[in-house]
Amino acid sequence: MKKRFWTVLLAVLCLRLWAGGVDGFEFLNRDINEILYTVSLYRGIAIVSDDTVSGKTDFRFAGDDFESAFDSFLNANRLYAQKGSKQWLVSRVMFSDLGGGIIQLDASDIRPALLVEKINRHFMVEISFDSLPEMKMSLHVTGKDAGDFAGAVVRQLGRDYSLEQKDSRLRIVKAVTERSGISSGREKAIVKKVMDDERNLYQVDVQDCQAASVLEELFKTEGREFVFACDSNARIKRILFSGKTFDETLSLLLSCASLKTVQLDGIIYVLNDTEIGNTPADTGKIWGRHGISYGQINGVLPVVENRFGKLNAVVLDGENSFLCFATPNTHQQIEEFLVALDGAKNVNVVTLHYIKTDDLLSHLPPGISSSQIKSGTQDNVFFFTGSREQLDYLNAQLVSLDAPARRLKYDLLVMQYQKTNDMSWDSSLSIRRITPGDFTDASVSLGSVLDLNLDVVGAFGFKFAASLQTAINENRASVFADTTLQGLSGSSIQFKSSNIYRYRDNNIDPETGKPVYTGVTREIASGLKIEVNGWVSGNGMITTKVTASVSRQGADTSSTTGNPPPTSEKVITTEVLCKSGEPIVLSGLVQNESSFIEQRTPGLGKIPGLGWAFKGRKETEEKTEMVIYLVPHWEKGGEEIQVAETDREFFERINRKYLNENGGNDADIQ
């Protein structure tokens, strides 16, 4: 109860401060970057943070001394700010010039690698380093150059790190502890060769090491070539002996790791110890190695097994070959089969002009396999492995496949038409209806229409252009958007003109019924959005799918209801098949808005009956409609230019005819 009492009391005091016009806000366990962003919007100054700032914290402020409160917030979170006239930069690292070439570095709770990067950027000196620990450190030192501050970092890291300088470059080096053999920590592997009666004998002391590491040390000491084709993760727990020959030492190590070896052409192959060669069915079989030169062994081996049956084969990674256990006759047949199978293939370089190799792989012609196409270093170059006949067939198909994408241009004009009904009742008791626009004289002046990017006369005709000009002159219509959209056939194009409204999110306290701000800033976008997707068919017709939406944001009632501001939206979707240059019109995006205003003379307006003579009312209904005029064009070079010239000639001919009939001359056409 006591806690609730103080909470209610604090809420009442905050409301009183707020009602008195004093700024205030509160953040509880929020991300620091989110707090900085919100405060930046609230105070109207750019406050940005660098990559050293992270974590969550609290921030409370009430009063009119914002900078003092903000500095306290920075100190509490061990942050620093460089304040400029238009921007404040918040960081955990700050360099201060003390004069006389002395610089002070203040850094708090920052990883060493990130701190070294900040020193590097500030002094523009190359500083490299080995892996640094993920600990967090704080520094408050002075110095003159990057070496002083890099040395301070090294001193904090301890004796395992040192600073080396060569020319103008610095490097932070981690000390390496000398080890015996290949041991590390509890691991130990010592393989030594000793002389005894002119024989090479070995002394081995192994404790919990990978068998591959021990065997590699043995082979290198003996000077033998080897290949590992086994599980390299097998470990030897403990083995200790001396006075053994190479073969005896190898046999003991293999038995401890469940491995075995096969020697072919002087090379030792280390394999997993399986039952191969230990059954009566394996009598007369030997190990053999087979390789190929042009193909890939993983793709060839299934073909070999399909021909000779399942083989006890071991693929040798990186050598494009495999070992198998079979009879000498089978080995000879496999070798002859591989010679016939692995012949040199015809490889041709093909260069595409308009599409990428990936596009071709998605639309391969019949008879061409994706395995015959290997991508090159460039997106439009690939290697084709196939016969000459297949290459000629592919080139013939590329005439239609490797073609430039068809380009579409959309002339877009969005007009906003408004109609307002104004019913006014003033203190004289007279009622009158006002219709906007008293200008009714027709005019041939097309100044505004001719300035539009869309060729209204060529697309819709002279009569429509004159009507549109009249509507603009009478303020019944205004140009909302006038632009040109470019795109490829089959791709989507978007036009968006929107307003972003930001509001502070809040919830209604169920106990008090008052709004409680959450510290989160949300956004509502409203306006006009148009999405166009068109493609050109084989006969030159353009199929266009248009989706248009217009939205409007209502009044912000979140401070009293806790709900976000309402929005209304209307959407139109249509799909039209037309020729290049034929216009498309979308209408029906209508928004209605009404308002009511009442004014009265103080005192007199409250007199029953007689008070109506001292009141004034104004009720307005506004209807707004967005009309979209869209003209698609298939850009075909000279053909499109010729169409534009024809439209211009048509416009000049119509203007010349009208001016001649009304006493004008050719100079007025411009």
Side-chain angles (χ1 to χ4, degrees):
M1 291 298 295
K2 184 181 294 184
K3 182 178 180 181
R4 179 172 297 178
F5 169 78
W6 286 109
T7 302
V8 173
L9 180 59
L10 180 59
V12 172
L13 292 175
C14 291
L15 288 175
R16 288 184 176 179
L17 289 174
W18 190 274
V22 181
D23 294 335
F25 42 78
E26 179 180 13
F27 299 94
L28 299 177
N29 193 29
R30 306 303 301 180
D31 188 87
I32 295 178
N33 290 290
E34 181 180 317
I35 294 175
L36 295 176
Y37 174 73
T38 306
V39 172
S40 172
L41 295 177
Y42 187 79
R43 300 301 298 183
I45 186 171
I47 303 177
V48 296
S49 59
D50 63 5
D51 53 351
T52 65
V53 179
S54 62
K56 295 185 177 181
T57 187
D58 303 336
F59 183 26
R60 301 177 179 86
F61 168 68
D64 54 3
D65 190 0
F66 170 74
E67 290 202 24
S68 298
F70 188 72
D71 291 340
S72 300
F73 165 74
L74 295 177
N75 293 332
N77 293 278
R78 300 167 67 82
L79 299 171
Y80 308 96
Q82 296 179 358
K83 299 181 180 180
S85 59
K86 297 183 179 179
Q87 176 177 293
W88 294 359
L89 175 63
V90 178
S91 174
R92 294 194 181 276
V93 180
M94 185 173 184
F95 293 92
S96 304
D97 190 356
L98 302 181
I102 304 299
I103 298 175
Q104 178 175 338
L105 167 62
D106 295 291
S108 300
D109 301 333
I110 184 172
R111 293 184 293 106
L114 192 54
L115 178 56
V116 172
E117 291 180 4
K118 295 297 181 182
I119 297 173
N120 187 0
R121 293 180 184 177
H122 183 80
F123 290 96
M124 302 299 293
V125 176
E126 181 181 348
I127 305 177
S128 58
F129 51 87
D130 295 339
S131 61
L132 300 180
E134 291 297 319
M135 55 180 271
K136 290 187 177 181
M137 62 167 51
S138 299
L139 279 181
H140 304 280
V141 296
T142 58
K144 292 186 176 181
D145 54 26
D148 295 340
F149 299 109
V153 174
V154 170
R155 288 192 294 271
Q156 285 239 5
L157 294 176
R159 293 182 299 175
D160 291 341
Y161 292 87
S162 60
L163 181 64
E164 296 180 355
Q165 182 170 1
K166 185 177 181 181
D167 299 330
S168 60
R169 293 174 294 178
L170 300 172
R171 179 173 178 80
I172 300 177
V173 182
K174 184 177 182 180
V176 180
T177 304
E178 295 185 0
R179 295 175 293 180
S180 174
I182 54 177
S183 62
S184 175
R186 294 186 57 187
E187 299 180 0
K188 181 172 64 174
I190 300 176
V191 179
K192 291 184 179 180
K193 182 189 290 188
V194 295
M195 299 295 296
D196 183 18
D197 297 335
E198 298 182 355
R199 293 189 305 167
N200 292 332
L201 301 180
Y202 282 88
Q203 175 184 347
V204 176
D205 185 1
V206 176
Q207 178 177 333
D208 194 21
C209 276
Q210 283 190 347
S213 300
V214 181
L215 291 173
E216 182 177 352
E217 190 73 15
L218 175 64
F219 293 144
K220 288 182 178 179
T221 304
E222 184 68 15
R224 302 290 296 271
E225 298 183 38
F226 61 95
V227 174
F228 284 103
C230 62
D231 181 11
S232 59
N233 294 321
R235 302 185 71 85
I236 299 177
K237 294 297 183 182
R238 186 73 176 107
I239 186 171
L240 174 64
F241 61 85
S242 62
K244 303 292 184 181
T245 63
F246 170 77
D247 292 335
E248 294 172 338
T249 301
L250 178 60
S251 178
L252 287 172
L253 294 177
L254 293 174
S255 62
C256 291
S258 298
L259 301 174
K260 67 179 180 181
T261 58
V262 174
Q263 298 191 38
L264 297 173
D265 300 328
I267 300 177
I268 300 177
Y269 296 91
V270 182
L271 311 175
N272 292 319
D273 191 7
T274 61
E275 295 296 328
I276 298 177
N278 298 329
T279 63
D282 294 333
T283 303
K285 295 182 179 181
I286 60 174
W287 285 94
R289 178 182 179 275
H290 304 280
I292 56 177
S293 301
Y294 298 99
Q296 294 294 326
I297 194 62
N298 291 325
V300 171
L301 186 57
V303 179
V304 177
E305 292 185 334
N306 186 53
R307 167 66 176 80
F308 296 97
K310 184 66 176 177
L311 298 173
N312 294 317
V314 179
V315 177
L316 302 177
D317 295 334
E319 295 194 8
N320 212 24
S321 60
F322 65 92
L323 301 177
C324 71
F325 192 68
T327 62
N329 184 42
T330 302
H331 281 296
Q332 183 177 357
Q333 294 179 10
I334 292 175
E335 195 66 26
E336 293 174 354
F337 181 75
L338 288 177
V339 171
L341 182 66
D342 188 45
K345 299 180 180 180
N346 295 324
V347 179
N348 297 276
V349 179
V350 180
T351 302
L352 301 171
H353 299 286
Y354 301 103
I355 64 175
K356 298 180 180 179
T357 304
D358 293 340
D359 300 330
L360 177 62
L361 290 173
S362 302
H363 306 86
L364 282 176
I368 302 297
S369 172
S370 59
S371 61
Q372 296 178 287
I373 296 177
K374 303 297 180 184
S375 300
T377 56
Q378 300 180 12
D379 293 338
N380 64 327
V381 177
F382 65 89
F383 300 96
F384 178 72
T385 57
S387 63
R388 171 57 59 181
E389 291 77 10
Q390 286 181 312
L391 179 61
D392 294 339
Y393 168 71
L394 177 61
N395 288 330
Q397 299 300 317
L398 287 179
V399 173
S400 58
L401 293 176
D402 186 23
R406 294 176 173 178
R407 296 180 299 168
L408 291 174
K409 180 183 73 172
Y410 298 93
D411 292 332
L412 174 66
L413 175 64
V414 181
M415 298 298 299
Q416 180 173 306
Y417 294 90
Q418 290 183 339
K419 181 179 180 181
T420 304
N421 292 328
D422 188 354
M423 179 72 73
S424 298
W425 182 8
D426 57 21
S427 58
S428 64
L429 300 180
S430 63
I431 301 176
R432 56 189 178 88
R433 179 178 296 276
I434 301 174
T435 302
D438 297 326
F439 179 78
T440 58
D441 295 334
S443 174
V444 76
S445 176
L446 300 179
S448 300
V449 173
L450 294 182
D451 291 336
L452 296 176
N453 180 71
L454 174 63
D455 185 1
V456 176
V457 176
F460 299 96
F462 183 79
K463 184 177 180 180
F464 174 82
S467 300
L468 181 61
Q469 183 66 60
T470 302
I472 294 175
N473 292 340
E474 296 178 355
N475 295 324
R476 290 186 289 106
S478 61
V479 179
F480 186 85
D482 178 32
T483 185
T484 299
L485 306 178
Q486 303 280 350
L488 300 178
S489 176
S491 63
S492 296
I493 311 172
Q494 285 190 355
F495 173 83
K496 189 175 182 181
S497 177
S498 61
N499 298 318
I500 304 297
Y501 173 78
R502 295 182 176 90
Y503 67 96
R504 298 167 64 185
D505 190 18
N506 61 67
N507 297 320
I508 298 298
D509 191 335
E511 296 183 359
T512 64
K514 302 294 184 180
V516 179
Y517 292 103
T518 63
V520 178
T521 301
R522 300 190 183 275
E523 295 182 349
I524 293 179
S526 60
L528 177 66
K529 180 180 178 182
I530 302 174
E531 183 175 355
V532 183
N533 191 326
W535 65 281
V536 182
S537 58
N539 58 357
M541 299 292 287
I542 302 176
T543 302
T544 305
K545 182 177 180 180
V546 186
T547 301
S549 64
V550 59
S551 57
R552 174 178 291 183
Q553 172 215 324
D556 185 4
T557 59
S558 59
S559 60
T560 57
T561 64
N563 297 319
T567 57
S568 60
E569 182 179 25
K570 292 192 176 181
V571 181
I572 292 179
T573 300
T574 184
E575 190 167 358
V576 181
L577 178 65
C578 62
K579 296 180 180 179
S580 177
E582 288 186 354
I584 302 171
V585 181
L586 280 80
S587 60
L589 297 172
V590 180
Q591 296 281 354
N592 295 316
E593 185 175 356
S594 61
S595 61
F596 175 78
I597 300 175
E598 181 181 88
Q599 295 177 338
R600 60 187 177 184
T601 304
L604 298 177
K606 295 183 179 181
I607 301 175
L610 185 60
W612 289 99
F614 301 95
K615 291 182 181 180
R617 293 186 178 185
K618 184 175 182 180
E619 184 176 355
T620 303
E621 292 185 359
E622 182 178 86
K623 179 180 179 181
T624 303
E625 180 179 8
M626 291 287 188
V627 180
I628 301 171
Y629 303 97
L630 189 70
V631 182
H633 298 274
W634 175 18
E635 292 192 322
K636 299 177 289 184
E639 295 182 25
E640 195 68 11
I641 296 175
Q642 183 62 38
V643 171
E645 291 175 351
T646 302
D647 292 340
R648 179 64 180 175
E649 293 171 357
F650 168 80
F651 166 73
E652 291 180 355
R653 178 171 55 82
I654 294 297
N655 258 325
R656 185 176 291 105
K657 178 181 178 182
Y658 183 90
L659 292 173
N660 291 336
E661 293 175 352
N662 292 272
N665 53 56
D666 291 345
D668 296 328
I669 296 178
Q670 302 300 327

